[in-house]
């Protein structure tokens, strides 16, 4: 734990400051490769926190895509962000968290205020705009986080952003892609239920306590799996789309946790 703190102070912070400067220039000039520096930042954080990411399948490319995923920990953000160029949808509080909020803002995260029911419409519209421009967006569709053994029911409200995007005349196709993240091993050994609670963000846990636990538990092997993209039609039922994606994510999570194979179609 001590060396991680030293590395963070001596190496990570100076590099992050340089990344912020470079990313600010990229965003100001509206350059296309805006995701290069955020991915670099996420890789740096993963190294510092001992996150080893294993990727199965691949995200849809050159297609307007909404990635719908389970959610376990704030570690999901750097783990996923280190391997794919995407934007997130997150609750507004995340933007105020140390480190996590910084990474989220670098990734052009779309923040939603859950205290305002009217904010859902704004967020869905912004998600639709991002996807209609060909940029993938990640939605943690459970609306909360879980310990990593189960997939909670998905909320359908923001999944409707796919139809919102298709209202644009230049968008002829839209996809939803199931994605799952799972923490499988600590220091090379299968993770136990007790150890999962030291990684997962559960209930009203304070971020300081959670960061302390994460720094103490060593190397974390993390699997990110991408399922087959599902084509969406303008008149598809939003709740049925959401339910279908939820079932696919649950199937993938069970397969990873039990180390059982999925049919080849699920591997991208």
């Amino acid at each position: 734990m001590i060396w991680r703190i030293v590395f963070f102070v001596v190496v990570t912070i100076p590099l992050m400051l340089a990344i912020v400067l470079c990313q600010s220039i990229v965003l100001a000039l509206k350059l296309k490769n805006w995701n290069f520096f955020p991915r670099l930042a996420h890789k740096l954080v993963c190294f510092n926190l001992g996150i080893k990411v294993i990727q199965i399948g691949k995200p849809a490319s050159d297609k307007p895509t909404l990635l719908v995923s389970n959610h376990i920990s704030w570690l999901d953000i750097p783990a996923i962000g280190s391997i794919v160029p995407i934007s997130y949808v997150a609750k507004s509080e995340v933007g105020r968290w140390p480190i996590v909020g910084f990474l989220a803002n670098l990734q052009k995260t779309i923040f939603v205020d859950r205290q305002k029911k009217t904010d859902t419409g704004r967020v869905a519209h912004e998600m639709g705009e991002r996807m209609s421009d060909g940029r993938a967006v990640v939605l943690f569709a459970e609306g909360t986080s879980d310990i990593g053994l189960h997939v909670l029911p998905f909320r359908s409200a923001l999944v409707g952003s796919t139809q919102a995007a298709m209202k644009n005349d230049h968008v002829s196709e839209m996809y939803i892609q199931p994605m799952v993240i799972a923490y499988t091993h600590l220091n090379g050994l299968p993770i136990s239920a007790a150890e999962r609670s030291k990684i997962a963000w559960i209930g009203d846990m304070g971020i300081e306590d959670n960061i302390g636990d994460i720094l103490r538990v060593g190397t974390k092997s993390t699997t990110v799996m991408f399922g087959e993209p599902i084509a969406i039609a303008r008149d598809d039922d939003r709740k049925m789309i959401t339910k279908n994606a939820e079932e696919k994510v649950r199937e993938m999570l069970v397969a990873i946790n039990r180390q059982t194979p999925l049919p080849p179609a699920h591997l991208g």
Side-chain angles (χ1 to χ4, degrees), residues 56-201:
I56 302 177
K58 57 185 179 181
S61 59
D62 302 321
K63 299 176 181 178
T65 305
L66 176 65
L67 293 161
V68 287
S69 176
N70 64 317
H71 188 25
I72 299 172
S73 168
W74 61 268
L75 293 180
D76 301 352
I77 293 174
I80 298 168
S82 69
I83 59 173
V84 291
I86 41 79
S87 294
Y88 293 98
V89 178
K91 58 185 181 181
S92 56
E93 301 97 286
V94 172
R96 298 189 291 270
W97 290 350
I99 303 175
V100 186
F102 168 78
L103 291 171
N105 280 291
L106 278 183
Q107 203 82 20
K108 288 189 175 182
T109 295
I110 303 169
F111 293 108
V112 56
D113 188 343
R114 293 180 180 175
Q115 304 302 316
K116 297 180 180 178
K117 293 183 179 180
T118 55
D119 206 36
T120 300
R122 176 194 63 82
V123 173
H125 177 75
E126 190 170 345
M127 290 168 64
E129 288 295 314
R130 296 277 183 94
M131 289 184 288
S132 65
D133 288 339
R135 289 180 282 176
V137 175
V138 173
L139 174 66
F140 295 120
E142 295 162 304
T144 186
S145 54
D146 188 61
I147 198 169
L149 292 172
H150 312 283
V151 174
L152 302 176
F154 281 5
R155 300 181 180 182
S156 65
L158 292 177
V159 176
S161 61
T162 52
Q163 272 93 358
M166 295 186 77
K167 292 179 181 178
N168 295 333
D169 294 336
H170 65 285
V171 179
S172 58
E173 59 180 1
M174 179 62 64
Y175 295 83
I176 282 185
Q177 185 169 19
M179 180 181 76
V180 67
I181 185 165
Y183 297 87
T184 59
H185 294 76
L186 288 179
N187 298 316
L189 298 175
I191 189 170
S192 67
E195 289 168 330
R196 287 180 184 277
S197 65
K198 295 184 179 299
I199 294 175
W201 184 277

Side-chain angles (χ1 to χ4, degrees), residues 203-214:
D204 296 326
M205 179 184 292
I207 190 169
E208 295 85 359
D209 294 335
N210 188 235
I211 290 176
D213 286 340
I214 287 169

Side-chain angles (χ1 to χ4, degrees), residues 221-237:
S221 296
T222 308
T223 297
V224 178
M225 178 185 284
F226 298 90
E228 284 291 300
I230 304 166
I232 302 301
R234 291 175 186 266
D235 57 353
D236 282 349
D237 182 81

